[in-house]
Amino acid sequence: MIAIYATSVDVSGYIQSNGNNAANGWDTGGGGSGGSVKITVRDAQINSDRILALGGAGGRNTTGWDGGNGGDAGVGRIRIEYCESLTGTTNPPASTQKLDCYIAEQTGPGAARLNLPEAVNGSRTYAVRFGRKLDFAAAGEQATTLRIPAGMAADASLELLLSNAGSGNLTARLDIGADGSWECERTQAVENAATLTCGGLADAFNAYWAANGAPASGYLDVPVRLSLSKPAQALLTNLQISPAASRVRHIRLPVRDYTRFLLDFTVGESGSVVAALDIGDNGSIDWSTPSANPAPARWTTADLKNALNAYLSDKTSVVDVPIRFYVSPLGAVKLNDYTATAAPVVDLAAESISVGGSVSAAAARFNEGEIVPVQATLRNTGAAASGPVTAAFFAHAEGWGDWYIGGAFVDNIPAGGSVTVSAQWNTAGFSGALPVSVVVNPYGRLDETNGDNNRAARTVTVQGSDEGQPPTPTRTPTRTPTPTGTLPTATTTPTPTGTPTTTGTPPTATPTPSSTPSSTPQAEQDRALHLPLVQR
């Protein structure tokens, strides 16, 4: 048996409840009888002989011996009950009945009366569709409300049932939110009655929802305006709301009293999208996008410190804060970055640093080009956990300053706790006695009660690869020639002792220009590390 209950049915394929054919052979039997099909519907377009309940064929004696054939089975039954219209035929012909379909009448808040089309003995089950009924004595506009579940919608649609509309074209327009914009406009030829479907209403419902506090639970009564171009009775019904998809992302933060908190995120893959988010995933929408943007759409939120502090109020140490993103209609969520500023309660200190496993200055000697481990101890002397923090290692390059040689990331340093961090230093390009240092929180992203104890340093010696070789000779500048026929002009020639030698009278000292020797040999300059200079 096949049973179908629907608002409308349009049969483009086949609905079959046929009996089976019997097998052929020696002992043949009769075919299976046709089954039953029942359809209860408002409107049905079943086309020609596409709903079948035929009997099966009897078996045939194919042995050549005397024997009879099986009998063919009888057809089944088809029943169609409809409210408005029925077109098409079935095989066998269906038993049909036009029903008197009544709309439930509201008799008070939360109460309705349904006039049944039949007498009922015992119990029966009825599907009831509710809506808003508006009677138009003439062309014009009327206002009503639609109650929807609170929340962001991914899709929304409703039907407009028209009756007593006479003949000819009718134009209907629908304004969700009663804000002056028509979200649905349909013109259709009617013969007394018609059904108009309005889809794609999610953006309009979401705009009203966001403008009215963006509640995440309960219900929302949305004002609606309906315009008709001629007299008719209108019923707004079959409102369908699909909730928006949601995704949860997490941000790890130390528990603090935050004075600023912003999120930078991207949503959607194609089309037009809107989004909302819930800090703490506690069912309260804390921010929503001001309008729909083409996907992928990127936004930076307003300050969400109040929602964040409320979530952290009963927690300690470091917390993974859940953030639920709602996206309409659908799409991925990417959390790009965040800004979190808190009142300083952390004090990070770089306590010590060792190079090559040695804390002794005398033992810290290395040859240029060695890969040397550098290690440091960091401590949090503040009253709260630090949360994520970085440390950077530097080595001093003559003439250039502190050069970045490595870094480390720490998830958290608890209050009163300490951690050890390390990096590998490639000493190529360094020589002489030079300081190596570590700086915790080098970019100052974490506010501290004391920023003067973030650096620790010690001096090590790196023997350059050209040390111990004969010095490169330096050309001695020659005297400037003096034109003949005039008094000679004394010239000064620098000597290694720096004492000028003068010739001629009167002794006018004019040093000959010469280039100043570089304090770093050219070969050593070629090996210098060209890394960003970090100034503290």
Side-chain angles (χ1 to χ4, degrees):
M1 177 176 179
I2 298 174
I4 298 175
Y5 299 89
T7 301
S8 60
V9 170
D10 185 351
V11 182
S12 57
Y14 287 89
I15 299 174
Q16 301 183 65
S17 183
N18 296 329
N20 292 328
N21 296 327
N24 299 324
W26 180 268
D27 288 326
T28 58
S33 63
S36 299
V37 177
K38 182 178 181 182
I39 298 176
T40 302
V41 67
R42 183 191 66 194
D43 300 289
Q45 183 176 340
I46 59 178
N47 296 307
S48 178
D49 293 347
R50 291 179 177 270
I51 301 179
L52 307 173
L54 302 176
R60 297 295 180 261
N61 186 343
T62 59
T63 63
W65 297 86
D66 292 338
N69 297 323
D72 295 337
V75 297
R77 296 176 298 173
I78 300 176
R79 171 76 170 181
I80 301 178
E81 299 174 349
Y82 65 98
C83 296
E84 300 291 339
S85 63
L86 170 62
T87 59
T89 61
T90 66
N91 190 5
S95 166
T96 63
Q97 180 181 359
K98 188 177 186 305
L99 302 176
D100 292 326
C101 300
Y102 294 95
I103 297 174
E105 177 186 4
Q106 185 174 6
T107 58
R113 180 175 60 226
L114 175 64
N115 296 316
L116 299 179
E118 57 188 342
V120 176
N121 294 320
S123 64
R124 292 291 298 271
T125 300
Y126 295 90
V128 178
R129 178 186 295 181
F130 289 91
R132 291 284 190 267
K133 185 169 74 74
L134 301 173
D135 291 309
F136 285 76
E141 297 179 8
Q142 291 190 38
T144 185
T145 61
L146 296 175
R147 175 163 292 183
I148 65 171
M152 176 171 281
D155 191 20
S157 64
L158 60 80
E159 289 183 348
L160 177 60
L161 305 184
L162 299 173
S163 59
N164 302 326
S167 297
N169 288 339
L170 181 148
T171 298
R173 298 187 298 173
L174 194 64
D175 174 6
I176 303 297
D179 56 2
S181 62
W182 301 105
E183 281 76 33
C184 178
E185 184 168 351
R186 300 283 186 271
T187 298
Q188 184 172 319
V190 299
E191 290 294 335
N192 187 52
T195 300
L196 283 66
T197 301
C198 291
L201 303 176
D203 287 348
F205 279 111
N206 288 335
Y208 184 83
W209 167 77
N212 288 271
S217 59
Y219 293 91
L220 195 64
D221 289 326
V222 181
V224 174
R225 285 191 309 142
L226 176 63
S227 168
L228 294 183
S229 63
K230 60 190 303 186
Q233 182 185 92
L235 182 69
L236 297 174
T237 186
N238 201 24
L239 175 62
Q240 299 185 28
I241 302 285
S242 299
S246 65
R247 306 283 188 274
V248 175
R249 297 292 182 265
H250 292 82
I251 294 180
R252 177 165 293 182
L253 291 171
V255 175
R256 305 277 177 77
D257 181 17
Y258 286 89
T259 58
R260 190 165 183 255
F261 183 63
L262 289 79
L263 293 172
D264 176 353
F265 66 96
T266 301
V267 297
E269 291 141 1
S270 62
S272 181
V273 294
V274 293
L277 56 88
D278 171 7
I279 303 294
D281 194 17
N282 54 13
S284 172
I285 301 299
D286 300 302
W287 185 83
S288 59
T289 54
S291 61
N293 278 3
R298 185 168 183 170
W299 282 282
T300 298
T301 68
D303 192 354
L304 300 171
K305 63 177 182 296
N306 292 336
L308 177 63
N309 288 332
Y311 178 77
L312 297 175
S313 61
D314 59 347
K315 298 171 177 62
T316 59
S317 190
V318 179
V319 176
D320 288 327
V321 180
I323 303 172
R324 182 171 292 277
F325 289 85
Y326 295 88
V327 183
S328 175
L330 294 171
V333 176
K334 179 183 178 184
L335 183 56
N336 303 312
D337 201 358
Y338 69 90
T339 300
T341 306
V345 290
V346 172
D347 181 16
L348 300 179
E351 287 197 330
S352 64
I353 182 171
S354 65
V355 181
S358 172
V359 295
S360 168
R365 300 182 64 86
F366 310 98
N367 294 321
E368 182 186 354
E370 283 189 67
I371 305 298
V372 179
V374 185
Q375 200 170 64
T377 299
L378 311 177
R379 182 173 296 278
N380 178 9
T381 62
S386 70
V389 68
T390 58
F393 291 93
F394 302 91
H396 190 81
E398 184 66 31
W400 295 95
D402 287 339
W403 287 84
Y404 176 80
I405 59 174
F409 173 80
V410 179
D411 283 334
N412 179 55
I413 307 178
S418 63
V419 297
T420 300
V421 294
S422 61
Q424 298 294 316
W425 173 28
N426 184 345
T427 61
F430 294 90
S431 65
L434 52 94
V436 176
S437 59
V438 63
V439 179
V440 62
N441 190 24
Y443 303 107
R445 290 188 174 180
L446 179 64
D447 287 340
E448 300 184 57
T449 57
N450 179 15
D452 296 333
N453 55 357
N454 288 26
R455 184 177 186 273
R458 55 160 310 187
T459 300
V460 301
T461 300
V462 178
Q463 181 171 312
S465 59
D466 55 356
E467 291 187 24
Q469 302 297 323
T472 302
T474 304
R475 181 183 300 275
T476 303
T478 58
R479 292 183 299 172
T480 304
T482 305
T484 59
T486 60
L487 291 176
T489 302
T491 62
T492 302
T493 302
T495 65
T497 62
T499 305
T501 302
T502 60
T503 60
T505 55
T508 303
T510 306
T512 301
S514 62
S515 60
T516 303
S518 171
S519 61
T520 304
Q522 185 62 43
E524 187 172 326
Q525 291 184 21
D526 293 340
R527 291 191 301 272
L529 299 178
H530 300 285
L531 297 172
L533 179 62
V534 179
Q535 296 180 347
R536 292 288 297 170

